[in-house]
Amino acid sequence: MKIFSTCPKSSDVLNDDGDYLSAVRETAIWSEAAGCTGALIYTDNGLVDPWMVAQSLIGFTSSLRPLVAVQAAYMHPYWAAKKIASLAATYGRAIDVNILAGGFRNDLKVLGDRTEHDDRYRRATEYALIMRRLLAGESVTVDGQFYQVEGLSLRPGLPEGLETDFLISGSSPAGMEAAETIGATAIRYPEAPGVEDRVTGLAVSCGIRIGIIAAERSEDAWAIARDRFPIDRKGQLAHKFAMKTSDSQWHNQLSPASDEDVYWQEPFRSYYTFCTYQGGSYDEVIPEIERYIDSGYRSFILDIPVDRADIEQATAAIFCAADRIKANA
């Protein structure tokens, strides 16, 4: 079982005149103490360089793995592999990558990139395979649709024992195909309770992107949830605009659904965050987490924690669900 937290977005902190490095430090320390494997670091046109954040995160922790979002439009796969190997060789720490195929078309359009959805996944596949082969110490020659390299090798190489895990969105058929070809974990978004979504028996390992607000009493959890994510008309309009500029299938998959019990979409619909939530008492939330684990999910990427208690309660719910499944096996 792997649990990743998420680092704060630099835009949120800096727009509020906050100290972004301190926010990263807090999140990293909370996440490691709560038992997380690593922490996702976002990337897009409006955020600081995720590799800089990864280097800072390493300095604040002893074992937490940076999960760096890597966009093919931003740098050559050789240089992304070079970043990983350099950090690993310098600090003795493993770096994981979340391969992005795109989503918000305007971010790519202003870079002159008009590649269509499925072709972006084909490009991401070529990209990740070049990275993977370089990190494995191979001399790489590729004459692909998007990349051509000849006798390319990585120096310094990746130190033994610090292998990189690859993740990629698996919400679309193109994403699942890419995950299988790359050998990556396919990250999906949860359906509402009662919707069949079994991933056991698939050729790829699957993970889930989710937020969790849990407390001993349901009313306490929902008081936190409603205070943190009040219904926001402006946010709902921003979400609708973002939907028009995105061809991401998980955006379209989640938006029409209604809230059901602990399954809560308001944080997503009001544009506070990019995932749905599970909210309620531990007795309500843990069975839902068990359902995901029983369905075959072995990795969880949690939302950005608000404080130490937030990440502790979320990880506690996941670990408890995993323990209950083991006990009943």
Side-chain angles (χ1 to χ4, degrees), residues 21-99:
L21 204 57
S22 293
V24 171
R25 180 180 182 275
E26 282 186 336
T27 299
I29 292 172
W30 297 338
S31 301
E32 186 169 64
C36 291
T37 302
L40 172 64
I41 303 169
Y42 286 133
T43 190
D44 67 30
N45 290 14
L47 301 178
V48 301
D49 177 16
W51 298 102
M52 182 211 76
V53 180
Q55 185 173 1
S56 299
L57 186 148
I58 289 171
F60 297 142
T61 59
S62 60
S63 63
L64 197 71
R65 298 168 70 111
L67 174 57
V68 182
V70 175
Q71 167 58 262
Y74 291 165
M75 67 170 61
H76 194 276
Y78 172 78
W79 206 247
K82 171 78 81 172
K83 293 272 193 183
I84 291 169
S86 298
L87 287 169
T90 303
Y91 295 100
R93 296 280 290 278
I95 313 295
D96 296 332
V97 292
N98 183 39
I99 299 293

Coordinates of all heavy atoms in Angstrom, one line a residue, residues 21-99:
L21 N 8.2 28.1 0.6 CA 9.1 27.1 1.1 C 8.7 26.6 2.4 O 8.8 25.4 2.7 CB 10.5 27.7 1.1 CG 11.7 26.7 1.0 CD1 11.6 25.8 -0.2 CD2 13.0 27.4 1.1
S22 N 8.2 27.4 3.3 CA 7.8 27.0 4.6 C 6.5 26.1 4.5 O 6.4 25.1 5.2 CB 7.4 28.2 5.5 OG 8.6 28.9 5.8
A23 N 5.7 26.4 3.5 CA 4.5 25.6 3.3 C 4.9 24.2 2.8 O 4.3 23.2 3.2 CB 3.5 26.2 2.3
V24 N 5.8 24.1 1.9 CA 6.3 22.8 1.4 C 7.0 22.0 2.6 O 6.7 20.8 2.7 CB 7.4 23.0 0.3 CG1 8.1 21.7 0.0 CG2 6.7 23.6 -0.9
R25 N 7.7 22.7 3.4 CA 8.4 22.1 4.6 C 7.4 21.5 5.5 O 7.5 20.3 5.9 CB 9.3 23.1 5.3 CG 10.0 22.5 6.5 CD 10.9 23.6 7.2 NE 11.6 23.0 8.3 CZ 11.1 22.9 9.6 NH1 9.8 23.3 9.8 NH2 11.8 22.4 10.5
E26 N 6.4 22.2 5.9 CA 5.3 21.7 6.8 C 4.6 20.5 6.2 O 4.5 19.5 6.9 CB 4.3 22.8 7.0 CG 4.7 23.9 8.0 CD 3.5 24.8 8.3 OE1 2.6 24.9 7.5 OE2 3.6 25.4 9.4
T27 N 4.2 20.6 4.9 CA 3.5 19.5 4.3 C 4.4 18.2 4.3 O 4.0 17.1 4.5 CB 3.1 19.8 2.9 OG1 2.2 21.0 3.0 CG2 2.4 18.7 2.2
A28 N 5.7 18.4 3.9 CA 6.6 17.3 3.8 C 6.8 16.6 5.2 O 6.7 15.4 5.3 CB 8.0 17.8 3.3
I29 N 7.0 17.4 6.2 CA 7.2 16.8 7.6 C 5.9 16.1 8.1 O 6.0 15.0 8.6 CB 7.6 17.9 8.6 CG1 9.0 18.4 8.2 CG2 7.6 17.4 10.0 CD1 9.5 19.6 9.0
W30 N 4.7 16.7 7.9 CA 3.5 16.1 8.3 C 3.3 14.8 7.5 O 2.9 13.8 8.1 CB 2.3 17.0 7.9 CG 2.2 18.3 8.6 CD1 2.8 18.7 9.8 CD2 1.5 19.5 8.1 NE1 2.5 20.0 10.1 CE2 1.7 20.5 9.1 CE3 0.7 19.7 7.0 CZ2 1.1 21.8 9.0 CZ3 0.2 21.0 6.9 CH2 0.4 22.0 7.9
S31 N 3.6 14.8 6.2 CA 3.3 13.6 5.4 C 4.2 12.5 5.8 O 3.8 11.3 5.9 CB 3.5 14.0 3.9 OG 2.7 15.0 3.5
E32 N 5.5 12.7 6.0 CA 6.4 11.7 6.4 C 6.0 11.1 7.7 O 6.0 9.9 7.9 CB 7.8 12.2 6.4 CG 8.9 11.1 6.7 CD 10.3 11.6 6.4 OE1 10.7 12.5 7.2 OE2 10.9 11.1 5.5
A33 N 5.7 12.0 8.7 CA 5.3 11.5 10.0 C 4.0 10.7 10.0 O 3.9 9.8 10.8 CB 5.1 12.7 11.0
A34 N 3.1 10.9 9.0 CA 1.9 10.2 8.9 C 2.0 8.9 8.2 O 1.1 8.1 8.1 CB 0.8 11.1 8.2
G35 N 3.2 8.6 7.7 CA 3.4 7.3 7.1 C 3.3 7.3 5.6 O 3.2 6.2 4.9
C36 N 3.3 8.5 4.9 CA 3.2 8.6 3.5 C 4.5 8.1 2.8 O 5.6 8.3 3.3 CB 2.9 10.0 3.0 SG 1.3 10.6 3.5
T37 N 4.3 7.5 1.7 CA 5.4 7.0 0.8 C 6.1 8.2 0.2 O 7.3 8.3 0.1 CB 4.9 6.1 -0.3 OG1 4.3 5.0 0.3 CG2 6.1 5.6 -1.2
G38 N 5.3 9.2 -0.3 CA 5.8 10.3 -1.0 C 4.8 11.5 -1.0 O 3.8 11.4 -0.4
A39 N 5.1 12.5 -1.8 CA 4.3 13.6 -2.0 C 4.3 14.1 -3.5 O 5.4 14.3 -4.0 CB 4.7 14.8 -1.1
L40 N 3.1 14.2 -4.0 CA 2.9 14.7 -5.4 C 3.3 16.2 -5.5 O 2.9 17.0 -4.6 CB 1.5 14.5 -5.9 CG 1.1 15.1 -7.2 CD1 1.9 14.5 -8.4 CD2 -0.4 15.0 -7.5
I41 N 4.0 16.6 -6.5 CA 4.4 18.0 -6.8 C 3.8 18.3 -8.1 O 4.1 17.8 -9.2 CB 5.9 18.2 -6.8 CG1 6.5 17.7 -5.4 CG2 6.2 19.6 -7.0 CD1 8.0 17.6 -5.4
Y42 N 2.8 19.3 -8.1 CA 2.2 19.7 -9.4 C 3.1 20.4 -10.3 O 4.1 21.0 -9.9 CB 1.0 20.7 -9.0 CG -0.2 20.0 -8.4 CD1 -0.8 20.6 -7.3 CD2 -0.8 18.9 -9.0 CE1 -2.0 20.1 -6.7 CE2 -2.0 18.4 -8.4 CZ -2.6 19.0 -7.3 OH -3.7 18.5 -6.7
T43 N 2.7 20.4 -11.6 CA 3.3 21.3 -12.6 C 2.3 21.9 -13.5 O 1.3 21.1 -13.9 CB 4.4 20.6 -13.3 OG1 5.2 21.6 -14.1 CG2 3.9 19.6 -14.3
D44 N 2.4 23.1 -13.9 CA 1.6 23.7 -15.0 C 2.2 25.1 -15.3 O 3.3 25.5 -14.7 CB 0.1 23.8 -14.7 CG -0.3 24.7 -13.6 OD1 0.4 25.8 -13.4 OD2 -1.3 24.5 -12.9
N45 N 1.7 25.8 -16.2 CA 2.3 27.0 -16.6 C 2.4 28.1 -15.6 O 3.2 29.0 -15.7 CB 1.5 27.6 -17.8 CG 1.7 26.8 -19.1 OD1 2.2 25.7 -19.1 ND2 1.3 27.3 -20.2
G46 N 1.5 28.0 -14.5 CA 1.5 29.0 -13.5 C 2.2 28.7 -12.2 O 2.0 29.4 -11.2
L47 N 2.9 27.6 -12.1 CA 3.5 27.1 -10.9 C 5.1 27.2 -11.0 O 5.6 27.2 -12.0 CB 3.1 25.7 -10.6 CG 1.6 25.5 -10.4 CD1 1.3 24.0 -10.2 CD2 1.0 26.3 -9.3
V48 N 5.7 27.2 -9.8 CA 7.1 27.2 -9.8 C 7.7 25.8 -10.2 O 6.9 24.9 -10.3 CB 7.7 27.5 -8.4 CG1 7.2 28.9 -7.9 CG2 7.3 26.4 -7.4
D49 N 8.9 25.8 -10.6 CA 9.5 24.6 -11.1 C 9.4 23.4 -10.1 O 9.9 23.5 -9.0 CB 11.0 24.9 -11.4 CG 11.8 23.7 -11.9 OD1 11.2 22.7 -12.3 OD2 13.0 23.7 -11.8
P50 N 8.8 22.3 -10.5 CA 8.6 21.2 -9.6 C 9.9 20.5 -9.2 O 9.9 19.9 -8.1 CB 7.7 20.2 -10.3 CG 7.9 20.5 -11.8 CD 8.2 22.0 -11.8
W51 N 10.9 20.6 -10.0 CA 12.2 20.0 -9.6 C 12.8 20.7 -8.5 O 13.5 20.1 -7.6 CB 13.1 19.9 -10.8 CG 12.5 19.1 -11.9 CD1 11.9 19.5 -13.1 CD2 12.5 17.7 -12.0 NE1 11.5 18.4 -13.8 CE2 11.8 17.3 -13.2 CE3 12.9 16.6 -11.1 CZ2 11.6 16.0 -13.5 CZ3 12.7 15.3 -11.5 CH2 12.1 15.0 -12.7
M52 N 12.7 22.1 -8.4 CA 13.1 22.8 -7.3 C 12.4 22.4 -6.0 O 13.0 22.3 -5.0 CB 12.9 24.3 -7.6 CG 13.5 25.3 -6.5 SD 12.5 26.8 -6.3 CE 11.1 26.2 -5.5
V53 N 11.1 22.2 -6.2 CA 10.3 21.8 -5.0 C 10.8 20.4 -4.5 O 10.9 20.2 -3.3 CB 8.8 21.8 -5.3 CG1 8.0 21.4 -4.1 CG2 8.3 23.2 -5.8
A54 N 11.0 19.5 -5.5 CA 11.5 18.2 -5.1 C 12.8 18.2 -4.3 O 13.0 17.5 -3.4 CB 11.7 17.4 -6.4
Q55 N 13.7 19.1 -4.8 CA 15.0 19.2 -4.1 C 14.8 19.7 -2.7 O 15.4 19.3 -1.7 CB 15.9 20.2 -4.9 CG 17.3 20.3 -4.3 CD 18.2 21.1 -5.2 OE1 17.8 21.5 -6.2 NE2 19.5 21.2 -4.8
S56 N 13.9 20.7 -2.5 CA 13.6 21.2 -1.2 C 12.9 20.2 -0.3 O 13.3 20.0 0.9 CB 12.6 22.5 -1.3 OG 13.2 23.5 -2.0
L57 N 12.0 19.4 -0.9 CA 11.3 18.4 -0.1 C 12.3 17.3 0.4 O 12.2 16.9 1.6 CB 10.3 17.7 -1.0 CG 9.3 16.7 -0.4 CD1 8.0 16.8 -1.0 CD2 9.9 15.3 -0.5
I58 N 13.3 17.0 -0.4 CA 14.3 16.0 0.0 C 15.1 16.6 1.2 O 15.4 15.8 2.2 CB 15.3 15.7 -1.1 CG1 14.6 14.9 -2.2 CG2 16.5 15.0 -0.6 CD1 15.4 14.7 -3.5
G59 N 15.4 17.8 1.2 CA 16.1 18.4 2.3 C 15.4 18.5 3.6 O 16.0 18.6 4.7
F60 N 14.0 18.5 3.5 CA 13.2 18.6 4.7 C 12.9 17.2 5.4 O 12.3 17.2 6.5 CB 11.9 19.3 4.4 CG 12.0 20.7 3.9 CD1 11.2 21.2 2.9 CD2 13.0 21.5 4.5 CE1 11.4 22.5 2.5 CE2 13.1 22.9 4.1 CZ 12.3 23.4 3.1
T61 N 13.2 16.1 4.7 CA 12.7 14.8 5.1 C 13.8 13.8 5.0 O 14.9 14.1 4.5 CB 11.5 14.3 4.3 OG1 11.9 14.3 2.9 CG2 10.3 15.2 4.4
S62 N 13.6 12.6 5.6 CA 14.6 11.5 5.5 C 14.3 10.4 4.6 O 15.2 9.7 4.1 CB 14.8 11.0 6.9 OG 13.6 10.4 7.4
S63 N 13.0 10.2 4.2 CA 12.6 9.1 3.3 C 11.5 9.4 2.4 O 11.3 8.6 1.5 CB 12.2 7.9 4.2 OG 11.1 8.2 5.0
L64 N 10.8 10.5 2.5 CA 9.7 10.8 1.7 C 10.1 11.0 0.2 O 11.1 11.7 -0.1 CB 9.0 12.1 2.1 CG 7.6 12.4 1.6 CD1 6.6 11.5 2.3 CD2 7.2 13.9 1.9
R65 N 9.4 10.3 -0.7 CA 9.8 10.3 -2.1 C 9.0 11.4 -2.9 O 7.8 11.4 -2.9 CB 9.4 9.0 -2.8 CG 10.2 7.8 -2.2 CD 9.6 6.5 -2.6 NE 9.9 6.2 -4.0 CZ 10.7 5.2 -4.5 NH1 11.3 4.5 -3.6 NH2 10.8 5.0 -5.8
P66 N 9.8 12.4 -3.5 CA 9.1 13.4 -4.3 C 8.4 12.6 -5.5 O 9.0 11.8 -6.2 CB 10.2 14.3 -4.8 CG 11.3 14.1 -3.9 CD 11.2 12.6 -3.4
L67 N 7.1 12.9 -5.8 CA 6.4 12.4 -6.9 C 6.2 13.6 -7.9 O 5.3 14.4 -7.7 CB 5.1 11.8 -6.5 CG 4.1 11.4 -7.6 CD1 4.8 10.3 -8.6 CD2 2.8 10.8 -7.1
V68 N 7.1 13.8 -8.8 CA 7.2 15.0 -9.6 C 6.3 14.8 -10.9 O 6.5 13.9 -11.6 CB 8.7 15.3 -10.1 CG1 8.7 16.5 -10.9 CG2 9.6 15.3 -8.9
A69 N 5.4 15.8 -11.1 CA 4.6 15.8 -12.3 C 5.5 16.2 -13.5 O 6.2 17.2 -13.4 CB 3.4 16.7 -12.1
V70 N 5.5 15.4 -14.5 CA 6.4 15.6 -15.6 C 5.6 15.8 -16.9 O 4.8 14.9 -17.3 CB 7.4 14.5 -15.8 CG1 8.3 14.7 -17.1 CG2 8.3 14.4 -14.6
Q71 N 5.7 16.9 -17.5 CA 4.9 17.3 -18.8 C 5.9 17.2 -20.0 O 6.9 17.9 -20.0 CB 4.3 18.7 -18.6 CG 3.7 19.3 -19.9 CD 2.7 18.5 -20.5 OE1 2.9 17.7 -21.5 NE2 1.4 18.6 -20.0
A72 N 5.5 16.4 -20.9 CA 6.4 16.2 -22.1 C 6.6 17.5 -22.8 O 7.7 17.7 -23.5 CB 5.8 15.2 -23.1
A73 N 5.7 18.4 -22.8 CA 5.8 19.7 -23.5 C 6.9 20.6 -22.9 O 7.3 21.6 -23.5 CB 4.5 20.4 -23.6
Y74 N 7.3 20.3 -21.7 CA 8.2 21.2 -21.0 C 9.7 20.9 -21.1 O 10.5 21.8 -21.1 CB 7.9 21.2 -19.5 CG 6.6 21.9 -19.1 CD1 6.0 21.7 -17.8 CD2 5.9 22.7 -20.0 CE1 4.8 22.2 -17.5 CE2 4.7 23.2 -19.6 CZ 4.1 23.0 -18.4 OH 2.9 23.6 -18.0
M75 N 10.0 19.7 -21.3 CA 11.5 19.3 -21.4 C 11.6 18.0 -22.1 O 10.7 17.1 -22.0 CB 12.2 19.3 -20.0 CG 11.8 18.3 -19.1 SD 12.8 18.2 -17.6 CE 12.6 19.8 -16.9
H76 N 12.8 17.8 -22.6 CA 13.1 16.5 -23.3 C 13.2 15.4 -22.3 O 13.6 15.6 -21.2 CB 14.5 16.7 -24.0 CG 14.8 15.6 -25.0 ND1 15.3 14.4 -24.6 CD2 14.6 15.5 -26.4 CE1 15.5 13.6 -25.7 NE2 15.1 14.3 -26.8
P77 N 12.8 14.1 -22.7 CA 12.9 13.0 -21.7 C 14.3 12.8 -21.2 O 14.4 12.3 -20.1 CB 12.4 11.8 -22.5 CG 12.4 12.2 -24.0 CD 12.2 13.7 -24.0
Y78 N 15.3 13.1 -22.0 CA 16.7 12.9 -21.5 C 16.9 13.8 -20.3 O 17.5 13.4 -19.3 CB 17.7 13.2 -22.6 CG 19.1 13.3 -22.1 CD1 19.8 12.1 -21.9 CD2 19.8 14.5 -21.8 CE1 21.1 12.1 -21.4 CE2 21.0 14.5 -21.4 CZ 21.7 13.3 -21.2 OH 23.0 13.4 -20.7
W79 N 16.4 15.0 -20.4 CA 16.7 16.0 -19.3 C 15.9 15.7 -18.1 O 16.4 15.9 -17.0 CB 16.5 17.4 -19.8 CG 17.3 18.4 -19.0 CD1 16.9 19.3 -18.1 CD2 18.7 18.5 -19.0 NE1 18.0 20.0 -17.6 CE2 19.1 19.5 -18.1 CE3 19.7 17.8 -19.7 CZ2 20.5 19.8 -17.8 CZ3 21.1 18.1 -19.4 CH2 21.4 19.1 -18.5
A80 N 14.7 15.1 -18.3 CA 13.9 14.7 -17.1 C 14.6 13.5 -16.4 O 14.7 13.5 -15.2 CB 12.5 14.3 -17.5
A81 N 15.1 12.6 -17.2 CA 15.9 11.5 -16.6 C 17.2 12.0 -15.9 O 17.6 11.5 -14.9 CB 16.3 10.5 -17.7
K82 N 17.8 13.0 -16.5 CA 19.0 13.6 -15.9 C 18.7 14.2 -14.6 O 19.5 14.1 -13.6 CB 19.6 14.6 -16.9 CG 20.7 15.5 -16.3 CD 22.0 14.8 -16.3 CE 22.7 14.8 -17.7 NZ 24.0 14.3 -17.6
K83 N 17.6 14.9 -14.5 CA 17.1 15.5 -13.2 C 17.0 14.4 -12.1 O 17.5 14.6 -11.0 CB 15.8 16.2 -13.4 CG 15.8 17.5 -14.3 CD 16.2 18.7 -13.5 CE 15.9 20.0 -14.3 NZ 16.3 21.2 -13.6
I84 N 16.3 13.3 -12.5 CA 16.1 12.3 -11.5 C 17.5 11.7 -11.1 O 17.7 11.5 -9.9 CB 15.2 11.2 -12.1 CG1 13.8 11.7 -12.3 CG2 15.2 9.9 -11.3 CD1 12.9 10.8 -13.1
A85 N 18.3 11.3 -12.0 CA 19.6 10.7 -11.7 C 20.5 11.6 -10.9 O 21.2 11.2 -10.0 CB 20.3 10.2 -13.0
S86 N 20.4 12.9 -11.2 CA 21.3 13.9 -10.5 C 20.8 14.0 -9.1 O 21.7 14.1 -8.1 CB 21.2 15.2 -11.2 OG 21.7 15.1 -12.5
L87 N 19.5 14.1 -8.8 CA 19.0 14.3 -7.5 C 19.3 13.0 -6.7 O 19.7 13.0 -5.5 CB 17.5 14.5 -7.5 CG 17.1 15.9 -7.9 CD1 15.6 16.0 -8.1 CD2 17.5 17.0 -6.9
A88 N 19.1 11.8 -7.3 CA 19.3 10.5 -6.6 C 20.8 10.4 -6.3 O 21.2 9.9 -5.2 CB 18.9 9.4 -7.5
A89 N 21.7 10.7 -7.2 CA 23.1 10.6 -7.0 C 23.6 11.6 -5.9 O 24.5 11.2 -5.1 CB 23.9 10.8 -8.3
T90 N 23.1 12.8 -5.9 CA 23.5 13.8 -5.0 C 23.0 13.6 -3.6 O 23.7 13.8 -2.6 CB 23.1 15.2 -5.5 OG1 23.6 15.4 -6.8 CG2 23.6 16.3 -4.6
Y91 N 21.7 13.2 -3.4 CA 21.1 13.1 -2.1 C 20.8 11.7 -1.7 O 20.4 11.5 -0.5 CB 19.8 13.9 -2.1 CG 20.0 15.4 -2.4 CD1 19.8 15.9 -3.6 CD2 20.3 16.2 -1.3 CE1 19.9 17.3 -3.8 CE2 20.5 17.6 -1.5 CZ 20.3 18.1 -2.8 OH 20.5 19.4 -3.0
G92 N 21.0 10.7 -2.5 CA 20.8 9.3 -2.1 C 19.3 9.0 -1.9 O 19.0 8.2 -1.0
R93 N 18.4 9.7 -2.7 CA 17.0 9.5 -2.5 C 16.3 9.2 -3.8 O 16.7 9.7 -4.9 CB 16.4 10.8 -2.0 CG 16.9 11.2 -0.6 CD 16.2 10.4 0.5 NE 14.8 10.9 0.6 CZ 14.5 12.0 1.3 NH1 15.4 12.7 1.9 NH2 13.2 12.3 1.3
A94 N 15.3 8.3 -3.8 CA 14.6 7.9 -5.0 C 13.6 9.0 -5.3 O 13.0 9.7 -4.5 CB 13.8 6.6 -4.7
I95 N 13.4 9.2 -6.6 CA 12.4 10.2 -7.2 C 11.4 9.4 -8.0 O 11.8 8.7 -8.9 CB 13.1 11.2 -8.0 CG1 14.4 11.8 -7.4 CG2 12.1 12.4 -8.4 CD1 14.1 12.6 -6.1
D96 N 10.1 9.6 -7.8 CA 9.1 9.1 -8.6 C 8.5 10.1 -9.6 O 8.7 11.3 -9.3 CB 8.0 8.5 -7.8 CG 8.4 7.3 -6.9 OD1 9.4 6.6 -7.3 OD2 7.8 7.1 -5.8
V97 N 7.9 9.7 -10.7 CA 7.3 10.7 -11.6 C 5.9 10.4 -11.9 O 5.5 9.2 -12.1 CB 8.2 10.7 -12.9 CG1 9.5 11.3 -12.7 CG2 8.3 9.4 -13.6
N98 N 5.1 11.4 -12.1 CA 3.7 11.3 -12.5 C 3.7 11.9 -13.9 O 3.8 13.1 -14.1 CB 2.8 12.1 -11.6 CG 1.4 12.0 -12.0 OD1 0.9 10.9 -12.4 ND2 0.6 13.1 -11.9
I99 N 3.6 11.0 -14.9 CA 3.7 11.5 -16.3 C 2.4 12.1 -16.7 O 1.3 11.5 -16.6 CB 4.0 10.3 -17.3 CG1 5.3 9.6 -16.9 CG2 3.9 10.7 -18.7 CD1 6.5 10.5 -17.2

